[in-house]
Amino acid sequence: PAVDPADARAVEGLLEAAKAAGAKPAALLALTGVLRMAEGRYPEAVAAYQEVVAAGSPPDPVALNNLGYLLAVHAGRPDEGLE
């Protein structure tokens, strides 16, 4: 993975602290998606971005882009990634 496991745990702690402080859930999910992508945990990144996209009206363009990339390149679902 591109991220040191200790660094990933530190980021997870920061995300939990932000959640406890009342940060917006969609923003936390998007950041979780970024972290999971960096860790190479692609199925979890896909799930996080799917939640971000489903919750947004209009959908977050960065989340849509990252979700499309993950589906096309790492999940073997290129047609779905283009939707």
Side-chain angles (χ1 to χ4, degrees):
V3 173
D4 181 275
D7 291 339
R9 285 190 301 277
V11 171
E12 286 175 355
L14 293 171
L15 290 172
E16 287 299 319
K19 182 178 180 179
K24 294 181 180 181
L28 294 174
L29 282 169
L31 291 171
T32 299
V34 171
L35 176 61
R36 298 300 177 240
M37 280 178 64
E39 291 177 299
R41 294 166 61 180
Y42 303 119
E44 293 172 61
V46 167
Y49 283 123
Q50 285 174 326
E51 285 189 57
V52 173
V53 170
S57 182
D60 179 302
V62 174
L64 279 172
N65 178 73
N66 291 352
L67 177 59
Y69 166 78
L70 285 165
L71 290 171
V73 176
H74 294 287
R77 299 169 8 212
D79 291 340
E80 189 178 346
L82 291 173
E83 291 179 7

